[in-house]
Amino acid sequence: MSDLFDDGNTRVSFVPSIATISAPTTTELNAGTALEPYITPAGLQIKASTATVDTSSLASTFTTQGAGRRSFAITVEMKRQTPTDTAYNLLPYKTSGFLAVRRTKTATTAWTSGDVIEVYPVTTGEPELAPPAANEVAKFTSSMMVTSDPSTRAVIA
Protein backbone atom coordinates (compact mmCIF):
# COMPACT_ATOMS: atom_id res chain seq x y z
CA MET A 1 0.00 0.00 0.00
CA SER A 2 1.34 3.44 -0.92
CA ASP A 3 0.72 6.78 0.73
CA LEU A 4 -0.93 9.56 -1.26
CA PHE A 5 1.01 12.80 -1.66
CA ASP A 6 -0.51 16.26 -1.85
CA ASP A 7 2.49 18.00 -3.41
CA GLY A 8 1.63 18.78 -7.01
CA ASN A 9 -1.45 16.57 -6.85
CA THR A 10 -4.28 19.02 -6.26
CA ARG A 11 -6.09 20.87 -9.04
CA VAL A 12 -8.29 23.83 -8.10
CA SER A 13 -10.37 26.04 -10.37
CA PHE A 14 -12.84 28.85 -9.90
CA VAL A 15 -15.59 28.09 -12.41
CA PRO A 16 -18.22 30.65 -13.50
CA SER A 17 -21.09 28.21 -14.08
CA ILE A 18 -21.92 24.53 -13.68
CA ALA A 19 -25.34 23.18 -14.63
CA THR A 20 -25.25 19.97 -12.55
CA ILE A 21 -22.70 20.07 -9.75
CA SER A 22 -22.80 16.31 -9.17
CA ALA A 23 -21.73 15.77 -12.80
CA PRO A 24 -19.85 18.81 -14.13
CA THR A 25 -18.56 18.59 -17.68
CA THR A 26 -14.98 19.02 -18.79
CA THR A 27 -16.14 21.98 -20.90
CA GLU A 28 -17.57 23.73 -17.83
CA LEU A 29 -14.46 23.02 -15.76
CA ASN A 30 -12.11 24.16 -18.54
CA ALA A 31 -14.01 27.47 -18.67
CA GLY A 32 -12.79 28.12 -15.12
CA THR A 33 -9.54 29.70 -13.98
CA ALA A 34 -6.86 27.42 -12.56
CA LEU A 35 -5.92 28.63 -9.07
CA GLU A 36 -3.31 26.07 -7.96
CA PRO A 37 -0.39 28.11 -9.40
CA TYR A 38 -1.39 30.96 -7.06
CA ILE A 39 -2.40 29.05 -3.90
CA THR A 40 0.27 28.82 -1.19
CA PRO A 41 1.33 25.27 -0.18
CA ALA A 42 -1.03 25.17 2.84
CA GLY A 43 -3.43 27.77 1.49
CA LEU A 44 -6.41 25.60 0.50
CA GLN A 45 -8.51 25.33 3.66
CA ILE A 46 -11.83 23.51 3.33
CA LYS A 47 -13.00 22.64 6.82
CA ALA A 48 -16.06 20.43 7.12
CA SER A 49 -18.20 20.30 10.23
CA THR A 50 -21.34 18.40 11.14
CA ALA A 51 -23.76 19.53 13.85
CA THR A 52 -25.14 16.98 16.26
CA VAL A 53 -28.83 16.29 16.83
CA ASP A 54 -29.90 15.05 20.26
CA THR A 55 -31.94 11.88 19.61
CA SER A 56 -32.41 10.87 23.25
CA SER A 57 -35.76 11.07 25.01
CA LEU A 58 -37.09 11.74 28.48
CA ALA A 59 -36.97 7.97 29.04
CA SER A 60 -33.30 7.81 28.00
CA THR A 61 -30.52 7.22 30.48
CA PHE A 62 -27.89 7.94 27.90
CA THR A 63 -27.50 10.87 25.50
CA THR A 64 -27.66 9.66 21.93
CA GLN A 65 -26.89 11.75 18.88
CA GLY A 66 -27.41 11.75 15.14
CA ALA A 67 -25.70 13.62 12.35
CA GLY A 68 -27.23 17.03 11.72
CA ARG A 69 -26.53 19.83 9.28
CA ARG A 70 -23.17 20.01 7.53
CA SER A 71 -21.23 23.16 6.81
CA PHE A 72 -17.94 24.16 5.25
CA ALA A 73 -15.59 27.01 6.11
CA ILE A 74 -13.51 27.76 3.02
CA THR A 75 -10.51 30.08 2.85
CA VAL A 76 -7.93 30.18 0.10
CA GLU A 77 -4.58 31.93 0.62
CA MET A 78 -3.03 33.02 -2.66
CA LYS A 79 0.04 34.81 -3.94
CA ARG A 80 -0.27 38.16 -5.65
CA GLN A 81 1.61 38.51 -8.91
CA THR A 82 2.61 41.08 -11.49
CA PRO A 83 1.70 42.26 -14.00
CA THR A 84 -1.86 40.84 -14.17
CA ASP A 85 -2.53 39.63 -10.57
CA THR A 86 -4.96 37.04 -11.97
CA ALA A 87 -6.22 35.48 -8.73
CA TYR A 88 -6.69 38.79 -6.89
CA ASN A 89 -8.58 40.35 -9.81
CA LEU A 90 -10.72 37.22 -10.29
CA LEU A 91 -12.08 37.14 -6.73
CA PRO A 92 -13.37 40.54 -5.58
CA TYR A 93 -16.09 40.87 -2.92
CA LYS A 94 -19.35 39.02 -3.72
CA THR A 95 -18.12 37.07 -6.74
CA SER A 96 -20.29 34.00 -7.28
CA GLY A 97 -19.15 30.80 -8.92
CA PHE A 98 -17.98 27.28 -8.12
CA LEU A 99 -14.80 26.11 -6.45
CA ALA A 100 -13.80 22.81 -8.09
CA VAL A 101 -11.15 20.66 -6.39
CA ARG A 102 -9.54 17.44 -7.56
CA ARG A 103 -7.13 15.71 -5.18
CA THR A 104 -4.51 12.94 -5.54
CA LYS A 105 -3.93 13.30 -9.27
CA THR A 106 -1.24 15.44 -10.88
CA ALA A 107 -2.39 19.07 -11.01
CA THR A 108 -1.18 19.38 -14.60
CA THR A 109 -3.44 16.52 -15.76
CA ALA A 110 -6.50 17.90 -17.53
CA TRP A 111 -9.96 17.50 -16.05
CA THR A 112 -10.97 14.00 -17.14
CA SER A 113 -14.35 12.29 -17.43
CA GLY A 114 -14.79 9.88 -14.54
CA ASP A 115 -12.59 11.86 -12.10
CA VAL A 116 -14.07 12.31 -8.64
CA ILE A 117 -13.95 15.96 -7.56
CA GLU A 118 -15.45 18.34 -5.03
CA VAL A 119 -17.70 21.17 -6.25
CA TYR A 120 -18.68 24.02 -3.91
CA PRO A 121 -21.14 26.76 -5.01
CA VAL A 122 -19.63 29.87 -3.41
CA THR A 123 -19.70 33.61 -3.07
CA THR A 124 -16.49 35.36 -2.09
CA GLY A 125 -15.98 37.68 0.84
CA GLU A 126 -13.78 40.76 0.91
CA PRO A 127 -10.18 39.73 0.06
CA GLU A 128 -7.95 40.03 3.12
CA LEU A 129 -4.52 41.40 2.26
CA ALA A 130 -1.67 39.85 4.24
CA PRO A 131 0.57 42.34 6.05
CA PRO A 132 3.93 42.94 4.37
CA ALA A 133 6.62 40.61 5.68
CA ALA A 134 10.32 40.15 5.03
CA ASN A 135 11.27 37.17 2.88
CA GLU A 136 7.70 36.42 1.82
CA VAL A 137 5.64 37.01 -1.29
CA ALA A 138 2.66 39.36 -1.16
CA LYS A 139 -0.48 37.34 -0.38
CA PHE A 140 -4.20 37.64 0.16
CA THR A 141 -6.88 35.36 1.55
CA SER A 142 -10.27 34.87 -0.07
CA SER A 143 -13.06 33.63 2.22
CA MET A 144 -15.75 31.74 0.36
CA MET A 145 -19.28 31.20 1.63
CA VAL A 146 -21.03 28.03 0.44
CA THR A 147 -24.37 29.18 -0.99
CA SER A 148 -26.12 25.84 -1.60
CA ASP A 149 -25.50 22.13 -1.15
CA PRO A 150 -22.05 21.18 -2.48
CA SER A 151 -21.16 17.90 -4.14
CA THR A 152 -18.13 16.51 -2.34
CA ARG A 153 -18.00 13.38 -4.50
CA ALA A 154 -19.00 14.69 -7.90
CA VAL A 155 -18.00 12.67 -10.97
CA ILE A 156 -16.94 14.55 -14.09
CA ALA A 157 -19.30 13.71 -16.95
Side-chain angles (χ1 to χ4, degrees), residues 43-128:
L44 180 63
Q45 299 288 324
I46 301 174
K47 297 179 182 176
S49 63
T50 304
T52 57
V53 177
D54 186 343
T55 58
S56 52
S57 70
L58 183 60
S60 299
T61 60
F62 186 84
T63 301
T64 57
Q65 297 177 328
R69 294 180 183 215
R70 300 170 298 143
S71 64
F72 292 90
I74 300 176
T75 59
V76 185
E77 182 184 65
M78 290 174 272
K79 303 180 289 180
R80 301 204 53 201
Q81 297 187 325
T82 62
T84 58
D85 211 359
T86 301
Y88 183 75
N89 291 326
L90 176 68
L91 301 170
Y93 177 63
K94 286 191 173 181
T95 300
S96 294
F98 298 84
L99 188 69
V101 180
R102 183 185 66 203
R103 302 174 193 262
T104 69
K105 190 173 186 180
T106 307
T108 56
T109 301
W111 298 108
T112 306
S113 294
D115 283 350
V116 176
I117 66 170
E118 303 155 40
V119 180
Y120 302 91
V122 296
T123 296
T124 59
E126 182 67 31
E128 179 184 345

Side-chain angles (χ1 to χ4, degrees), residues 77 129-140:
E77 182 184 65
L129 299 175
N135 302 312
E136 288 191 21
V137 298
K139 299 178 274 193
F140 76 99

Side-chain angles (χ1 to χ4, degrees), residues 1-71:
M1 184 181 319
S2 297
D3 295 334
L4 295 172
F5 291 93
D6 286 328
D7 293 343
N9 290 323
T10 304
R11 185 174 178 125
V12 181
S13 287
F14 191 82
V15 181
S17 66
I18 294 177
T20 305
I21 68 168
S22 62
T25 66
T26 56
T27 301
E28 290 169 328
L29 295 167
N30 288 329
T33 301
L35 295 179
E36 68 275 359
Y38 311 107
I39 299 173
T40 61
L44 180 63
Q45 299 288 324
I46 301 174
K47 297 179 182 176
S49 63
T50 304
T52 57
V53 177
D54 186 343
T55 58
S56 52
S57 70
L58 183 60
S60 299
T61 60
F62 186 84
T63 301
T64 57
Q65 297 177 328
R69 294 180 183 215
R70 300 170 298 143
S71 64

